[in-house]
Amino acid sequence: MNIAVIGSGGREHALGYKLSASKSVNKLYFIPGNGGTANLGENLNISPDTFAGILSVVKEKNINLVVIGPEQPLVNGLTDYLEDNGIHVFGPRKNAAIIEGEKSFAKNFMKEFAIPTAAFRVFKNNEKVKCLTYLEEISYPVVIKADGLAAGKGVIICETFENAKSAILDFFENDKFGDAGKKVVIEEFLEGPEVSVFAVTDGEDYLLLPPSQDHKRIYDIDEGPNTGGMGAYAPASFVSGEMLRRIDNEIIFPTISSMNKIGRKFKGVLFFGLMITKEGPKVIEYNCRFGDPETQAILPLIEGDFAGLLYSAALSKLDKSLVAFKQNKFSVTVVAASEGYPNAYEKGKEISGLDFKFPDNIYLFHAGTKENGVGKIITNGGRVLSITAVSNSLKSAKSEAYKYLGKINFDGIYYRTDIADKGLKDT
Ligand code: AMP
Ligand code: GLY
């Protein structure tokens, strides 16, 4: 079959790599892809926002399955548009993608179905006085979140009432988050290690992928501002088999079955951002898509027909027997970013070392890269690329990931040096 992957990040390069390993895959397309995906298939220069353009190329190229990477086209209804035109899609319809697109929906849904999450209140921008009165009465820290999609920047942890007040003014008066911030969720601050769990689902049955842990902050020891994610490892072994069963019983099964019950069947991958608190696992956020960079760490641990798995989910007949997970293998992904990220950074730096012959257990995934028109690959984004190493221990996976990342260079390259250390502490 022919498959199109929508998106241009490291996640999409990793999806392409895994899909290309399936015998059933004939040709891969990336819309729009990056400097690395061009080696796996054909990049098509169409924006993920132009639904009609995507449909016409899908028909023209006889594409049998569309895999949607990022949340924005899902929340905007790309799946609905393609499915309603007879195309098979891996990714939820708009009425299910709302689980990420509107945090207030997700919180009220969890409340209704008793799925453990932080206690919360929702306020609209016409309730500023009521909201500030509430903030004066509560204890701190507290977490304030934009209701809508904010590209990972809509979460503010406030230590004091003064911080919270200025955050509310940014949301409601200074328009810092646009429409996404016209409504906010104010949440209890939770403590504990975080873990990302992905369920590939046809809306009823589901397959859990190995749990992984992201590293959201820009600097080592989790300092500095939040980013899209600076590295990940899998499996996150601090989540015991027993804890995983609890997560499944208390969170995953109730979420997937309750979405179905309320007529919002979720088909695709549901990403559970969890915190393991003293009281047990709680949902920090739902995402309606694969995580980035967790996907780059998890997919190299999967064996079998991944394209068949996603196709079976798209057809509402999930066939979990198509894939298996490598046993006793660990993976570590380290992201290399442009100096300055997550704030302003320069683009267009030439990347060296890309033609190094990496061993089979090392995976180079591009993110913000592009071909400059004369055959050179240059930086084209904040998170530029990542190296994943798969090895027999987390420790050796970490050291190999850093060893091979050392082969790559560009002006202003920056990466964290402590990816997976939290996992190593537990072993
Ligand atoms: P998000 O953009 O929703 O992934 O949130 C970014 C980060 O904010 C999460 O990964 C957590 O580290 C932190 N966070 C979000 N909600 C809470 C909460 N209720 N308590 C503590 N930390 C939180
Ligand atoms: N790595 C977190 C995310 O993809 O949202």
Side-chain angles (χ1 to χ4, degrees):
M1 69 179 143
N2 298 327
I3 302 183
V5 177
I6 310 283
S8 60
R11 166 182 57 204
E12 286 75 21
H13 191 186
L15 285 165
Y17 137 75
K18 201 73 236 180
L19 292 167
S20 68
S22 290
K23 287 194 192 70
S24 56
V25 174
N26 181 29
K27 181 143 189 202
L28 279 178
Y29 296 91
F30 296 88
I31 301 174
N34 60 38
T37 59
N39 298 326
L40 292 171
E42 189 178 336
N43 286 352
L44 300 170
N45 193 15
I46 303 169
S47 156
D49 303 326
T50 52
F51 290 8
I54 293 173
L55 178 64
S56 81
V57 84
V58 162
K59 286 187 168 164
E60 180 196 319
K61 308 273 187 196
N62 290 316
I63 289 165
N64 310 91
L65 174 68
V66 178
V67 177
I68 303 176
E71 62 277 15
Q72 193 77 59
L74 292 166
V75 168
N76 291 350
L78 180 56
T79 300
D80 308 50
Y81 183 80
L82 294 173
E83 282 189 344
D84 295 349
N85 281 285
I87 310 296
H88 296 306
V89 181
F90 181 81
R93 290 174 76 88
K94 191 173 177 169
N95 77 346
I98 191 175
I99 202 163
E100 174 169 4
E102 283 180 30
K103 286 198 157 72
S104 54
F105 167 84
K107 297 296 289 189
N108 286 318
F109 167 81
M110 287 186 269
K111 190 170 168 188
E112 183 178 349
F113 293 99
I115 296 165
T117 187
F120 72 101
R121 290 277 300 267
V122 178
F123 294 94
K124 290 199 207 114
N125 61 351
N126 62 6
E127 297 172 308
K128 192 183 86 186
V129 175
K130 201 166 124 195
C131 177
L132 290 176
T133 308
Y134 170 75
L135 286 169
E136 264 178 328
E137 287 164 359
I138 58 171
S139 56
Y140 284 80
V142 76
V143 185
I144 306 184
K145 300 183 175 183
D147 187 51
L149 293 183
K153 298 197 174 84
V155 174
I156 302 176
I157 296 174
C158 305
E159 303 289 342
T160 63
F161 169 70
E162 287 310 316
N163 297 153
K165 185 175 172 188
S166 95
I168 287 298
L169 296 181
D170 279 344
F171 280 109
F172 289 167
E173 285 185 357
N174 304 332
D175 214 24
K176 226 172 149 180
F177 300 89
D179 282 351
K182 293 204 160 120
K183 205 193 251 186
V184 296
V185 172
I186 301 186
E187 229 177 61
E188 168 197 13
F189 178 79
L190 299 177
E191 281 179 281
E194 286 182 55
V195 61
S196 304
V197 179
F198 301 163
V200 173
T201 175
D202 60 8
E204 290 181 18
D205 198 6
Y206 56 91
L207 174 71
L208 295 186
L209 305 187
S212 67
Q213 192 174 49
D214 188 11
H215 295 65
K216 289 214 157 130
R217 306 293 198 96
I218 186 74
Y219 303 127
D220 284 10
I221 55 165
D222 292 338
E223 288 183 344
N226 262 329
T227 69
M230 295 301 293
Y233 66 92
S237 309
F238 69 88
V239 182
S240 63
E242 195 191 322
M243 178 56 77
L244 210 49
R245 274 188 293 281
R246 209 173 147 189
I247 290 170
D248 197 355
N249 292 336
E250 294 176 18
I251 294 173
I252 292 168
F253 177 77
T255 300
I256 291 173
S257 59
S258 304
M259 285 292 279
N260 203 358
K261 207 179 300 167
I262 61 172
R264 295 178 183 273
K265 191 172 187 167
F266 189 103
K267 222 166 46 150
V269 62
L270 189 46
F271 167 162
F272 298 81
L274 306 174
M275 198 173 267
I276 313 297
T277 71
K278 283 203 187 82
E279 293 160 22
K282 294 192 181 185
V283 177
I284 289 280
E285 61 167 353
Y286 290 120
N287 294 311
C288 62
R289 48 159 177 95
F290 283 105
D292 186 335
E294 291 95 324
T295 302
Q296 293 91 306
I298 293 171
L299 295 193
L301 298 176
I302 297 182
E303 292 174 316
D305 182 5
F306 185 65
L309 177 77
L310 301 195
Y311 193 58
S312 73
L315 261 48
S316 300
K317 288 186 288 203
L318 186 71
D319 184 352
K320 296 185 280 192
S321 71
L322 291 174
V323 297
F325 305 117
K326 292 179 188 162
Q327 295 302 305
N328 303 314
K329 292 284 185 194
F330 297 81
S331 83
V332 172
T333 299
V334 183
V335 172
S338 302
E339 182 178 6
Y341 174 78
N343 301 314
Y345 55 84
E346 290 178 10
K347 294 182 184 178
K349 312 285 183 190
E350 189 176 334
I351 306 172
S352 65
L354 295 174
D355 45 13
F356 184 83
K357 184 93 190 67
F358 293 102
D360 286 349
N361 66 322
I362 304 297
Y363 304 82
L364 165 67
F365 295 125
H366 291 228
T369 73
K370 73 169 186 187
E371 200 267 323
N372 69 351
V374 288
K376 297 232 181 310
I377 300 287
I378 56 173
T379 65
N380 190 41
R383 292 189 293 172
V384 174
L385 51 79
S386 62
I387 289 278
T388 298
V390 174
S391 193
N392 294 333
S393 71
L394 192 61
K395 194 166 171 222
S396 62
K398 178 189 171 188
S399 70
E400 295 219 357
Y402 280 105
K403 175 176 155 195
Y404 288 104
L405 186 55
K407 306 287 179 196
I408 305 279
N409 202 12
F410 54 86
D411 187 21
I413 189 170
Y414 168 77
Y415 47 85
R416 278 178 64 156
T417 65
D418 66 341
I419 302 301
D421 280 1
K422 276 187 272 183
L424 288 167
K425 244 182 19 208
D426 297 316
T427 52

